[in-house]
Amino acid sequence: MVISSLCYADRVKCLHPSFENLFNYVLSHDLLHMDLGRIDVDGDNVFINNINPECVPEHEQQLEVHREYIDVHILLEGRERLGWKDTKTLYSCVQDYECKSDSALYQDLPTSYVDLLPGQFAIVYPEDAHAPLIGKGKIRKLVAKVRL
């Protein structure tokens, strides 16, 4: 997992060929005031889910894992805690991997947490089991999906 602020996005663009396209789009649009929903940046290769979810307590959130896409969680408004655990140490699967949703769910507890503030992002690779949306109240965020 990589944690940073949008003002340093240039430093991470080299980590994947599509990151430059993604971050250029995010930095050149007022996504906080755009309609909620899917935004196609490069079809199914790079797209953004612009969402306004309700956060949940730590003990209610499960870890999720993806295989086909890298997640880039970008906080626009509010405060969000993300849990993290190395996928090699997972043991309590509650939903097997599903291709359609590109996800599996685990009941394990995260081994560490990070708090995101507006303008910050987390890049989550397939080896990063993560529990997003931990906190209180509604937030506004982007979850970009970047095909491996």
Side-chain angles (χ1 to χ4, degrees):
M1 183 183 312
V2 176
I3 309 296
S4 192
S5 294
L6 286 171
C7 62
Y8 304 119
D10 281 344
R11 294 181 187 265
V12 300
K13 288 180 181 178
C14 63
L15 297 177
H16 188 281
S18 295
F19 281 174
E20 182 168 5
N21 194 13
L22 169 65
F23 284 108
N24 286 346
Y25 186 92
V26 169
L27 292 167
S28 65
H29 291 80
D30 182 8
L31 296 166
L32 178 61
H33 297 100
M34 285 181 74
D35 290 338
L36 297 175
R38 180 176 164 142
I39 301 165
D40 285 320
V41 177
D42 182 19
D44 286 337
N45 292 317
V46 180
F47 61 92
I48 300 168
N49 293 311
N50 190 344
I51 60 175
N52 184 218
E54 185 80 31
C55 288
V56 299
E58 266 180 39
H59 68 276
E60 290 181 18
Q61 190 59 295
Q62 296 175 329
L63 289 163
E64 58 186 66
V65 175
H66 308 294
R67 292 183 187 168
E68 300 297 321
Y69 286 91
I70 298 168
D71 273 3
V72 182
H73 296 258
I74 304 168
L75 193 62
L76 300 176
E77 195 170 60
R79 183 184 187 110
E80 177 185 20
R81 174 166 275 199
L82 285 98
W84 177 89
K85 186 172 184 170
D86 184 341
T87 57
K88 289 183 179 180
T89 64
L90 294 172
Y91 60 88
S92 182
C93 185
V94 293
Q95 177 188 301
D96 290 332
Y97 179 79
E98 295 178 355
C99 288
K100 186 176 181 179
S101 64
D102 184 39
S103 67
L105 297 176
Y106 292 82
Q107 194 62 45
D108 301 49
L109 293 175
T111 55
S112 60
Y113 294 89
V114 63
D115 293 326
L116 293 182
L117 299 174
Q120 297 176 339
F121 64 89
I123 299 174
V124 182
Y125 291 93
E127 62 269 19
D128 298 318
H130 57 289
L133 304 176
I134 296 172
K136 293 182 180 181
K138 284 188 150 286
I139 60 172
R140 185 73 181 263
K141 72 179 285 188
L142 309 171
V143 180
K145 306 296 265 184
V146 178
R147 188 183 299 275
L148 286 169

